[in-house]
Amino acid sequence: MEIQEISKKNLISGAFLAFEGIDGSGKSTQIQMLAAKLRERGVRFYTTMEPTDSPIGSLIHQIMTGRIKADNRVIAALFAADRLDHLLNEVDGIAAKIADGISVISDRYYFSSYAYHSVDMPMEWVVQANEQSSAILKPTATIFIDVDPDIALERISRNRFHKELFEKKSMLVRVREKYLEAFERLKDSENIIMIDGSQTPQRISEEIWQRVCEYFVLK
Ligand code: ADP
Ligand code: TYD
C-alpha cells in the first residue's frame, strides 16, 4: 500500500514503532535505515531511545557502567520511571508528539523491561510496574529483531571496547527467552512483528519496510 493512501485514513495521529532485541541485534542500524527511507518520503518522524538522556536515564547509565551500585529492583523501577518521563516530559515527551501527528521510533520500550528484568524477578511484577506506560501509549507495532545470542555477541565484541552489565552470553540467552515469553503472554493485546535478524542489514531493512510502511503519514 502507498503511504499516500494511508495518509488519508490516518490523519489524526502518528505511529509509534518500538524496536526490540537483545544487545547487538541490530536495532540502531535498522532504525537508521528506516529513518533514511522515511526522510526520503517526507514523513514527519522523531527517533529516540531508552534509557533516555534525561536525569533519570543518566542515573541508569551510571548504574549500567558500574559507577553507581543499585539493587536490581531499583534498576527496574528506574527504567519504569525513565519510560514515563520519556512519554510525558513537557519539553520532548513522545505522547504529545504522537498526538500532534509526528511518528515516533524508539530504540527499546517496555518489552525491554519485561525481558531484561524478568530474568531475576517475576515478569508479572515488571509488567505491573510499567502499567502506566502501557495505558498511556502502546506501540502501533513492536519490531523484534531476533538473533542468536552468539551472533549478537560476535557483533558486539567486534565493535565495542567495553562490555556493559548485560552483554554476557548467558544473560543474552536468558533475555531472548524472556522476550519470547513476554510476546506469547501479551500477544492478544500487542502488535508484534518478528524479524529474522541474521540476514544482511539490507534484507532486514526491506522486510521491516514491507511490514511498517503503511503506518506512516506524509507531511
Ligand atoms: P543494537 O542497537 O541492537 O545494539 P547495532 O545496530 O548497534 O545493534 O549493531 C551491532 C553491531 O552489529 C554494529 O557494529 C553493526 O554495524 C553490526 N550489525 C548490525 N546489523 C547487522 C547485520 N544484519 N549483519 C551483520 N552485522 C550487523
Ligand atoms: P544500550 O547501550 O542502549 O544498549 P543497546 O544499544 O543494545 O540498546 O543499553 C541499554 C541496556 O539497557 C541494554 O542492555 C538493555 C537494558 N535495558 C533494561 O535492562 N531495561 C529496560 O527497560 C531498557 C529500556 C533497557
Side-chain angles (χ1 to χ4, degrees), residues 1-19 34 38 41-45 98 101-105 138-144 190-195 207-219:
M1 199 185 289
E2 291 297 313
I3 290 178
Q4 209 88 26
E5 283 175 43
I6 286 118
S7 64
K8 287 184 206 133
K9 67 171 197 198
N10 184 15
L11 282 171
I12 28 170
S13 68
F16 176 43
L17 295 187
F19 276 73
L34 179 59
L38 295 177
R41 288 160 175 87
V43 173
R44 290 168 71 204
F45 71 98
I98 288 170
I102 300 170
S103 289
V104 174
I105 301 168
K138 283 199 170 54
T140 314
T142 294
I143 298 163
F144 180 61
E190 300 277 350
N191 179 21
I192 294 145
I193 296 176
M194 306 284 277
I195 301 284
E207 205 172 308
I208 290 174
W209 183 247
Q210 278 166 17
R211 304 290 296 272
V212 305
C213 72
E214 68 190 73
Y215 298 133
F216 298 103
V217 179
L218 284 176
K219 268 181 198 164

Side-chain angles (χ1 to χ4, degrees), residues 34-172:
L34 179 59
K37 288 189 164 89
L38 295 177
R39 217 170 283 121
E40 258 172 40
R41 288 160 175 87
V43 173
R44 290 168 71 204
F45 71 98
Y46 173 79
T47 56
T48 181
M49 67 174 67
E50 295 185 2
T52 68
D53 56 7
S54 73
I56 305 168
S58 84
L59 188 53
I60 292 172
H61 279 295
Q62 291 179 68
I63 294 169
M64 306 285 294
T65 50
R67 272 170 277 168
I68 297 178
K69 293 251 172 292
D71 184 272
N72 284 343
R73 289 162 291 189
V74 176
I75 300 176
L78 283 173
F79 271 108
D82 187 44
R83 181 160 301 122
L84 273 175
D85 187 59
H86 195 198
L87 286 168
L88 301 173
N89 190 286
E90 281 183 8
V91 179
D92 56 5
I94 60 178
K97 289 187 194 300
I98 288 170
D100 280 350
I102 300 170
S103 289
V104 174
I105 301 168
S106 183
D107 191 336
R108 300 191 178 281
Y109 192 52
Y110 49 61
F111 272 102
S112 283
S113 279
Y114 302 166
Y116 283 80
H117 307 299
S118 70
V119 165
D120 48 27
M121 63 189 99
M123 192 177 289
E124 185 58 32
W125 186 95
V126 187
V127 171
Q128 280 188 12
N130 284 278
E131 211 173 19
Q132 285 295 321
S133 294
S134 89
I136 296 165
L137 182 64
K138 283 199 170 54
T140 314
T142 294
I143 298 163
F144 180 61
I145 305 183
D146 191 21
V147 292
D148 184 289
D150 280 318
I151 297 180
L153 259 188
E154 210 268 315
R155 289 181 190 168
I156 294 167
S157 48
R158 220 189 308 140
N159 295 288
R160 291 189 198 168
F161 294 106
H162 64 275
K163 291 184 184 161
E164 294 183 356
L165 208 59
F166 288 120
E167 294 174 353
K168 300 207 180 85
K169 166 132 187 224
S170 59
M171 185 63 187
L172 294 186

